[in-house]
Amino acid sequence: MNIIVEKMTNEYIDDLLVRAAHHSTAIEGNTLTLGDTISILIHNYIPKGMTEREYYEVKNYKKAFELLLKADRVISTDLIKNYHRYIMENLREDNGEFKKIQNIILGSVIETTKPYLVPTVIEDWCQNLEYRLNNAKTDEEKIEAILDQHIKFEKIHPFGDGNGRTGRLLIIHSCLKENLAPILIPKEEKGKYINFLTSENIKEFVKWGIELENKEKERIELFHNKEKEEK
């Protein structure tokens, strides 16, 4: 029984959608406010003065989230490609396709996976994540598996663009399917997050991940209690 998912009200799911879209795109440089994001995703209203790119960066989360909520527990290569397809719709012509040209991570000395190796390496990544989650005995071990695999995913950098957004969606996917509250990386702590990725400091990353997961659990509870009171 997935207690976390059962406690997630429709209002909380909307709240999660808005915050995931806002924080994840802001980490990548999107300047839209949380209010703008709510207008676009919840009220289908387009605030004035935004670029087409910033609009689609946020809007695309709607379809990606619909997929996430109904997707199978196990992450496959096809699922990863589909997340990317939705996240990068109207932003790149190669959305949903692995990179064809070698890419680089800004400010990092890490060499990303060569394009011809990506399909095999991603297949291995999926199998490793599934194995680690199947064998995790505690929530902490699950969080460690999810975040360690996130670091590995970002090092692979399988797409031409949108790797961070896709990778952070995969974190939320794994959390929800493993009966954990979703771990959302806050835009205000982008520096800490990037440092954990580049230094591969999994111990501190996990400690932070547990804090974020606990905070989100409290938020789910608040929305759950609110709905009970309103009935």
Side-chain angles (χ1 to χ4, degrees), residues 5-166:
V5 171
E6 283 186 5
K7 282 197 164 183
M8 283 167 49
T9 63
N10 288 333
E11 195 177 4
Y12 169 76
I13 290 167
D14 283 345
D15 173 73
L16 177 63
L17 164 65
V18 166
R19 287 181 299 120
H22 175 62
H23 287 280
S24 198
T25 56
I27 285 171
E28 304 300 332
N30 189 298
T31 63
L32 298 184
T33 65
L34 189 61
D36 291 334
T37 308
I38 292 168
S39 293
I40 293 165
L41 291 173
I42 305 301
H43 305 299
N44 292 314
Y45 172 75
I46 306 172
K48 289 177 185 171
M50 70 177 62
T51 66
E52 190 179 16
R53 180 172 187 86
E54 289 200 317
Y55 167 73
Y56 279 119
E57 281 178 349
V58 164
K59 178 71 174 171
N60 288 347
Y61 271 76
K62 192 98 170 176
K63 269 192 196 174
F65 244 68
E66 285 167 6
L67 172 63
L68 189 151
L69 293 170
K70 67 183 182 190
D72 290 338
R73 172 181 168 259
V74 175
I75 293 173
S76 65
T77 296
D78 282 345
L79 184 61
I80 293 171
K81 284 182 167 183
N82 281 330
Y83 279 141
H84 187 264
R85 178 172 292 116
Y86 290 142
I87 275 300
M88 301 307 288
E89 198 170 22
N90 300 305
L91 297 171
R92 286 184 71 96
E93 286 183 7
D94 64 351
N95 60 316
E97 296 173 21
F98 288 142
K99 63 187 177 186
K100 306 281 193 300
I101 301 164
Q102 184 65 18
N103 52 11
I104 191 165
I105 303 169
L106 177 69
S108 174
V109 294
I110 294 163
E111 189 180 342
T112 63
T113 301
K114 290 183 168 48
Y116 75 93
L117 291 172
V118 167
T120 310
V121 173
I122 285 291
E123 197 61 46
D124 288 347
W125 182 92
C126 292
Q127 288 174 13
N128 286 338
L129 176 62
E130 185 185 358
Y131 177 81
R132 292 180 71 176
L133 289 173
N134 285 344
N135 288 279
K137 292 178 176 62
T138 63
D139 285 352
E140 186 174 333
E141 283 182 10
K142 286 181 183 179
I143 290 170
E144 182 174 351
I146 292 165
L147 296 183
D148 189 37
Q149 289 295 122
H150 179 65
I151 292 173
K152 289 178 168 65
F153 183 85
E154 297 308 326
K155 280 172 71 179
I156 297 166
H157 236 57
F159 301 104
D161 189 21
N163 293 287
R165 279 162 279 177
T166 305

Side-chain angles (χ1 to χ4, degrees), residues 2-20 42 65 68-69 172 175-176 180-184 212-227 230:
N2 193 325
I3 298 161
I4 293 292
V5 171
E6 283 186 5
K7 282 197 164 183
M8 283 167 49
T9 63
N10 288 333
E11 195 177 4
Y12 169 76
I13 290 167
D14 283 345
D15 173 73
L16 177 63
L17 164 65
V18 166
R19 287 181 299 120
I42 305 301
F65 244 68
L68 189 151
L69 293 170
I172 296 172
C175 286
L176 290 181
L180 297 166
I183 294 171
L184 254 69
L212 293 173
E213 199 259 345
N214 282 330
K215 270 189 201 167
E216 200 63 27
K217 232 181 253 173
E218 290 169 12
R219 197 173 181 94
I220 290 169
E221 203 64 48
L222 287 171
F223 275 99
H224 182 66
N225 291 338
K226 182 186 172 194
E227 188 175 86
E230 288 171 354

